[in-house]
Amino acid sequence: MVARAARAADLADLDGEVSDCFACPRLVDWREEVARTRRAAFRDQRYWGRPVPGFGAADARLAILGLAPAAHGGNRTGRIFTGDRSGDVLFAALHRAGLANQPTSVAADDGLALRDTRIFAAVRCAPPDNKPTPAERDTCAPWLHREVALIRPTLRVVVALGAFAWAAWWPVLREVYGVRPPSPRPAFGHGAHWSGTTAPALLGCYHVSQQNTFTGRLTPGMLDDVFARAKQLAGVD
Ligand code: SF4
């Protein structure tokens, strides 16, 4: 799997390779079971039921790193943060920030396009209870590492959505940028900021999950502040 990720020559190649990954037995079972049983509201739809590739600009200066696809969101539609409440909140914010051409993301063919931005997840298959194991995170890491390597020439800032994504970023420093991660690791927090000399800056943001957005822990204004800061650090107008 490491070799498959490493030989992807470009993002299209990588997207094709990752979509055909079966490396984690528990997650393969889960993504396929969800696709078979489906949620009542989507019973007439054919679920994607595969790993979900990254999405967005190949020359991204800003990246958004999530945890994993949602069972009835990305695992259904085949596009990350598409067709679920988390995506509704995220893309509305990206649209307000001028980084998305529309405020909604409902299906892979809905015309959504991102400017200067790429979105990907630390784990590419939907996990039960949104909780991948450490072994699954590590198994999936080469896909993330290759994706970052492919956009490395332009990438300046990474927004980590939640503590899982924040923790998943540190191995990227070693694997892609050849630098030692800071020790001790900076703690995750909303608005946390780390910057090195050769690697992109890292910004922490509470995850756009319903748990956070429905309770007011993460508000649209807080997201707007994070993306304004990310754009400034990335040099995006
Ligand atoms: S989580 Fe990642 S490594 Fe595991 S099966 Fe899915 S794509 Fe492959």
Side-chain angles (χ1 to χ4, degrees):
M1 217 240 359
V2 176
R4 283 181 62 199
R7 73 168 173 254
D10 55 30
L11 289 171
D13 208 6
L14 185 77
D15 293 352
E17 288 285 343
V18 72
S19 300
D20 198 35
C21 181
F22 292 81
C24 306
R26 187 182 79 113
L27 299 190
V28 171
D29 284 353
W30 178 247
R31 77 193 190 200
E32 292 180 355
E33 187 191 325
V34 170
R36 229 179 1 254
T37 54
R38 291 168 287 183
R39 179 177 278 171
F42 307 124
R43 186 122 304 150
D44 58 339
Q45 295 185 19
R46 189 186 174 91
Y47 275 49
W48 171 247
R50 306 288 287 269
V52 180
F55 171 67
D59 59 351
R61 283 189 271 177
L62 200 160
I64 299 167
L65 177 58
L67 194 170
H72 300 280
N75 190 56
R76 173 172 61 90
T77 60
R79 194 172 68 194
I80 193 76
F81 282 114
T82 295
D84 60 42
R85 294 288 176 86
S86 300
D88 291 347
V89 173
L90 178 62
F91 286 104
L94 289 174
H95 184 249
R96 290 194 300 274
L99 298 171
N101 68 334
Q102 60 188 45
T104 57
S105 178
V106 295
D109 60 355
D110 63 6
L112 176 67
L114 300 182
R115 180 175 74 93
D116 289 315
T117 305
R118 190 152 177 100
I119 305 179
F120 37 57
V123 171
R124 306 293 165 113
C125 291
D129 299 322
N130 289 322
K131 286 197 179 95
T133 65
E136 289 161 350
R137 177 200 59 205
D138 294 346
T139 302
C140 205
W143 297 119
L144 171 65
H145 298 168
R146 186 64 187 146
E147 190 153 5
V148 173
L150 288 168
I151 61 171
R152 177 178 172 169
T154 52
L155 186 63
R156 298 290 173 266
V157 179
V158 175
V159 176
L161 296 178
F164 188 96
W166 179 265
W169 177 252
W170 306 118
V172 177
L173 295 182
R174 195 174 43 244
E175 297 297 327
V176 179
Y177 293 89
V179 297
R180 193 177 297 178
S183 181
R185 304 277 191 269
F188 170 76
H190 184 82
H193 175 199
W194 174 86
S195 46
T197 46
T198 51
L202 182 65
L203 284 180
C205 178
Y206 289 148
H207 195 279
V208 287
S209 66
Q210 288 185 64
Q211 251 166 302
N212 288 334
T213 56
F214 278 22
T215 56
R217 186 167 190 243
L218 178 65
T219 64
M222 289 164 72
L223 269 175
D224 290 348
D225 289 346
V226 168
F227 288 127
R229 191 148 176 233
K231 283 175 65 180
Q232 186 190 30
L233 289 167
V236 173
D237 296 332

